[in-house]
Amino acid sequence: MRPIDPRLLRYSRSSRGFIFTTVVLAVLSAAATIAQAWLLASVITRFFTSQQSFSENKNAIIYLALVFALRAILAFAIDRISASASSRMRNELRRHVVVKTLDSGARDVQELGTAGLSVLITKGISDLDGYFSKFLPQLFIASIVPAAVGITIATQDWQAGLIVLATIPLIPIFGILIGRFTASATEKKWRSLGILSTYFLDLLSGLTTLKVYGRHKIQSTKLKEVGDAYRKETMGVLRVSFLSSLALELVATLSVALLAVSIGLRLVDGNIGLQTGLFILVIAPEVYWPIRQVAGYFHAAADGLVAFEKLFAILDRPVVNVGRKIEKISAITWSEISVEYPDRTAVHIPSGQISAGSIHVLVGPSGSGKSTLANILLGFIKPTSGEVILSTVNGDISHGEVNIEELRNQISWLPQEPKFPIGTVAQILRHAKPEATDFELIEVLAKVHLDIVDLPSGLRTPLGTLKQPLSIGQLRKIALARALLKDCQLLILDEPTASVDDVSESVISQILEEKAKAGVLVLLITHRLQMLSGASNVTDMAKLK
Amino acid sequence: MRNLITLLKPNWKQLAFGGLLGGLSLGAAVGLLAASAWLISMASTRPPILVLEVAIVAVRFFGLSRGTLKYAARITEHDAALKIQTSLRIKVYEEISKFMPATFVKLSRGNLLSQIINDVELVQDLWLRVFMPWLNALIAGVSGLGIIYYLLPSAGNALSLIFLAAIFLIPILASVISTPQNEREHEGELFSQIMQVAESANEALIFNFKDDLLIEMEIAQDAIAIAQEKSAKRVGYASAMHILLLGVASLTALYLAAKGYLDQELAGVNVAVIALLPLVIFEGISTLPAAFAQLSKILEAARNLEPYLENNSSQNTEVVSKSLAQEVTIDFHDVNPVIPDANCAPLTTTIRPGETLIIMGKSGSGKSSLINSLLGFTPFTGHIAINNEELGPKHEDLFSTLLQDDYLFATSIRENIRIGKPDATDIEIEKVLEIVELAELVKQLPQGLDTHVGPLGYNFSGGEKQRIKLARLLLRNTPVFILDEPFEFLDASQVARISKRIAGALAEKTVIIVSHLELDIPAKVITLVNSLN
Ligand SMILES: Nc1ncnc2c1ncn2[C@@H]1O[C@H](COP(=O)(O)OP(=O)(O)OP(=O)(O)O)[C@@H](O)[C@H]1O
Ligand SMILES: [Mg+2]
């Protein structure tokens, strides 16, 4: 967790100009603050020591008013610019992250969970606001303004200048020491926040199940436990990180107190003028203000920065769509494939081949690796060993070498557990074939025995929203229709008959045979042995076990 | 809002104490400046050093106490806020779980759910980032103005007016004077879109709708950017107004201090005190613009949560005495679930203890709806009688149900299975795993029952997930078992073996199974037909 990460500037181009502008504005506003202190000190001195009236100081008062006006304008500009620049930078970053996540499919979801990933991309990036709009500019300001003010003080009174300049280096030292300490704690806190939000989403998502099991009441106690654990974790972090603020605060206020006392004592001796004394008193806090701000913002930004590490794990992933183009595929052959999931005994997949015009059926008990093979062909997971070869008109290509995005354009798939984005039946089907007419859609639905009149609003029936009007069997039929609709070279169906009773095996076999005749390579994962009749190739996964 | 405030109750003292500490810390800053201004002014008259002694001690005291108080304040406030947050989450959860089942079945993973989660997060800021800073600024202001009033009442009065204007107008300017931007709504939109992206990510790659998802996200982002741009402008205006009011206060203080001194109403050494105090009095206000810019958004979130915070007393009051029947006979008489656009033939049948009813029928013919009717999720016409009593809430605990879309929680295998029986021992769990043929697999896992199933059960295959759900059901001990498509994703021989074992385990029970596979167990089979076809 470094305070400035060059990668950040790379991923958000808008940040550079913004930092420059903010620093210029901050320097101007520091100058205005010095002028204000100076004017105040001189006017007060003249009131007190020379008993002058308000109107006798008309010029100084007018200048003072102008300085306030200038500061108001600067404040407006700084707030506006930093807030909108931060919003731009965050949006830019979010775009990059989402593109990358989408490119790698469900991988991040498997790692972080739906809620975890969503929280990271929304709240995680929003938390960077503290970093972008406050911490970053303040870091630059803190490296300019204190020194400038310190030197101004030194020109007025070298002893006071000495006190100030001696304490300035103390502050970053404190900051670094405690910052080190906080870093790992913040990481922990973020992790437990992830757990907390995942847990909450999980509870709400599974509420029906909990209710059916009569367990919904017990879960509030659990929710309290998880919430309390998060609170303790967070408070642990805050206790330490606020400690660093405390240290800075103490250095700052104590040195102002020290200055006041030393100036007071020297005033008694007549070694220093009242005006200089008042000026230093008013201006001294400005030395520490920016540094204290940096420390304060650092804690706000630390949250963002931890998220940042996770974001970069996603961002720094290499681009996937490189690799060779593919032409017409005539066969796919896999040999000696095994996959090692973490902490599992390896899954071995018997060698096999799908060739154009034939149907390859994969059977085998649950957990034997059927969906795993589908995922390998789809490019979602890489085998630990073994090879998949695509035979094309231009010769054989290893699966790992092809442009995966192009290959996926050539594949259609019925997932074992289909998930839909929000949209209507028509929209979802058209993802498979954008130019399909309504008639075609109705036709393909009829093919899988889903009568359009059974859908409450026909093709415009919404899916994936909160009012899910369809049964699970009907949803699977829609997914099957989607898979059949796409023009493809390879068709993978993972359990097309699960939960659907009337689309008989023979119906599906017939459709698949038609597909195969048209030159499509078909991979069918099923438990229905009746479906084997038309198959040219069968791999029984059980054999190796 | 009222419900939100009720949630504060257990913790409001701690919160108020934190606010007081924070105010005192700002007050210490006021004291520091007042004491040092007096010290320096007095010193310039070259009095005997003894006169300064008190002021010197005061300066050091305030110097020390400011930071310390602030530390204590922040710790106290944050702790209280997190506690409130936990109670809010629990309250929302409890109220949602009280809803009529039919309502929350629809509350699936769509928009609504993500919006609730988002809102709960947002509301937290109300105390820490909006209300507390305001309270602190007020306390600091009052203490500073008190000193000024004590020294020179005319200045006290004038500056109080300006201060009051600032502490009320600036938040109003920052929060209220704006057309509603719906930023929160768009953020909720973004969140749920990203959830969609996350869940259908693999499909998005194959069916190429990832660009659609990106465009949707872009639209939500643009809307948020516009809202943020506008709020940035408002914050800017409010900050500028803060400095301007500070300027007015400073100049007024200078004018009145000079006048007071000349009119001999004010001691000369206090001129600097009065002239400089506005600087710190207004310091606390400087953070308010940014904080209050969030206010309308937070209040909107609070309003959105309102329905989940209300006590739906109508549902709580009737305490039903649960039926304790050990054996159950279910009579269906002309039962027809009420579902739009569906026309099922009514069902009439009886199942007695030790009997199994298998319901078959084409998808969409209302098999799951029939089960939902039995569970009270879906209304129905006709009559269902449990041991000759009309079906009602008192019968809830008689059923154990495997839903077709039963949910696996993102936790360990053990925790998931224990939903069936919270105090189940590992031996009991092993026994049911044996029935569903998972014992072998679990034994091979290095972490055994503690293995995490992953979000949405990702770490297990389709059939394995189904069997974990079955195992969890089998731990239950109720007179009635209802299983909706229990053998999905299992191959024929496995179905034969497992269904026999389950039939054996539930031999004494009243069992209803919805299945499209023909099962080789003794049972009464009914096929539902959609009466339109
Ligand atoms: N992400 C994962 N992490 C760990 N193990 C996994 C993961 N995905 C799959 N497995 C394991 O790999 C094995 C093969 O899984 P796969 O999904 O390929 O089985 P399958 O043959 O499709 O089974 P089913 O018929 O039940 O769907 C299973 O034991 C499963 O638990
Ligand atoms: Mg599978």
Side-chain angles (χ1 to χ4, degrees), chain B residues 374-386:
Chain B
L374 203 51
L375 298 175
F377 290 13
T378 306
F380 58 91
T381 57
H383 300 279
I384 301 180
I386 304 292

Side-chain angles (χ1 to χ4, degrees), chain B residues 38 92 110 149 214 220 257 300 311 321 354 385 407 429 432 490 512 516 524 531:
Chain B
W38 186 87
V92 168
Y149 188 83
L214 271 180
E300 214 181 298
N311 271 312
S321 55
Y407 191 82
I429 295 179
V432 286
L490 302 181
I512 301 178
H516 63 274
K524 184 173 184 180
S531 59

Side-chain angles (χ1 to χ4, degrees), chain B residues 182-497:
Chain B
N182 302 329
E183 186 183 346
R184 178 193 135 271
E185 211 172 281
H186 293 302
E187 276 181 357
E189 191 94 326
L190 188 65
F191 189 84
S192 71
Q193 245 143 38
I194 288 172
M195 284 201 1
Q196 291 287 325
V197 169
E199 296 205 335
S200 48
N202 277 342
E203 274 102 324
L205 289 176
I206 302 302
F207 294 101
N208 239 333
F209 55 84
K210 68 177 201 195
D211 289 343
D212 291 9
L213 290 174
L214 271 180
I215 290 169
E216 299 252 330
M217 192 198 79
E218 208 71 356
I219 292 171
Q221 275 217 136
D222 283 349
I224 294 175
I226 290 172
Q228 283 174 340
E229 187 78 10
K230 291 212 171 128
S231 107
K233 211 179 199 168
R234 269 184 290 139
V235 174
Y237 284 133
S239 297
M241 180 168 162
H242 164 243
I243 303 272
L244 285 179
L245 284 176
L246 168 64
V248 172
S250 269
L251 294 180
T252 310
L254 277 176
Y255 173 74
L256 292 175
K259 186 160 169 291
Y261 182 40
L262 290 178
D263 295 350
Q264 312 227 314
E265 283 164 13
L266 180 72
V269 285
N270 290 331
V271 170
V273 177
I274 291 188
L276 294 181
L277 269 182
L279 294 182
V280 271
I281 292 178
F282 276 74
E283 195 184 289
I285 297 180
S286 70
T287 55
L288 298 188
F292 274 80
Q294 305 294 316
L295 185 65
S296 57
K297 192 163 113 182
I298 296 173
L299 290 182
E300 214 181 298
R303 228 169 294 130
N304 191 48
L305 287 178
E306 201 76 337
Y308 309 110
L309 298 177
E310 263 158 34
N311 271 312
N312 293 330
S313 44
S314 60
Q315 287 172 32
N316 298 336
T317 44
E318 53 167 309
V319 179
V320 278
S321 55
K322 300 282 181 191
S323 162
L324 295 172
Q326 298 293 316
E327 295 197 326
V328 167
T329 302
I330 307 176
D331 279 305
F332 291 89
H333 186 79
D334 275 345
V335 176
N336 217 345
V338 180
I339 33 176
D341 301 296
N343 266 297
C344 317
L347 174 76
T348 302
T349 189
T350 301
I351 330 156
R352 295 185 185 80
E355 286 183 353
T356 299
L357 172 71
I358 298 181
I359 304 176
M360 306 188 75
K362 88 174 229 185
S363 45
S365 64
K367 293 163 300 189
S368 297
S369 303
L370 194 67
I371 286 180
N372 285 341
S373 293
L374 203 51
L375 298 175
F377 290 13
T378 306
F380 58 91
T381 57
H383 300 279
I384 301 180
I386 304 292
N387 291 342
N388 295 324
E389 282 176 337
E390 195 70 21
L391 173 73
K394 63 184 288 197
H395 298 120
E396 256 172 32
D397 291 351
L398 298 178
F399 304 133
S400 289
T401 314
L402 175 76
L403 296 168
Q404 197 174 7
D405 53 355
D406 216 29
Y407 191 82
L408 274 192
F409 293 87
T411 170
S412 65
I413 301 180
R414 179 186 283 109
E415 287 300 311
N416 265 299
I417 293 188
R418 275 200 179 156
I419 298 222
K421 184 177 179 197
D423 53 356
T425 61
D426 280 7
I427 297 173
E428 283 175 284
I429 295 179
E430 212 161 296
K431 218 175 93 199
V432 286
L433 287 179
E434 210 71 70
I435 297 182
V436 298
E437 304 188 349
L438 272 181
E440 192 78 356
L441 174 72
V442 172
K443 240 174 250 155
Q444 280 171 14
L445 299 171
Q447 294 179 20
L449 283 173
D450 287 321
T451 309
H452 203 277
V453 300
L456 302 177
Y458 264 121
N459 294 348
F460 287 90
S461 82
E464 288 164 353
K465 275 185 272 196
Q466 185 66 16
R467 286 180 285 152
I468 295 178
K469 295 172 193 169
L470 267 175
R472 148 166 102 190
L473 183 82
L474 292 175
L475 272 181
R476 305 265 294 175
N477 181 20
T478 57
V480 183
F481 276 76
I482 304 168
L483 294 82
D484 196 350
E485 297 287 2
F487 305 118
E488 240 186 313
F489 305 143
L490 302 181
D491 72 11
S493 58
Q494 212 164 17
V495 173
R497 291 193 305 270

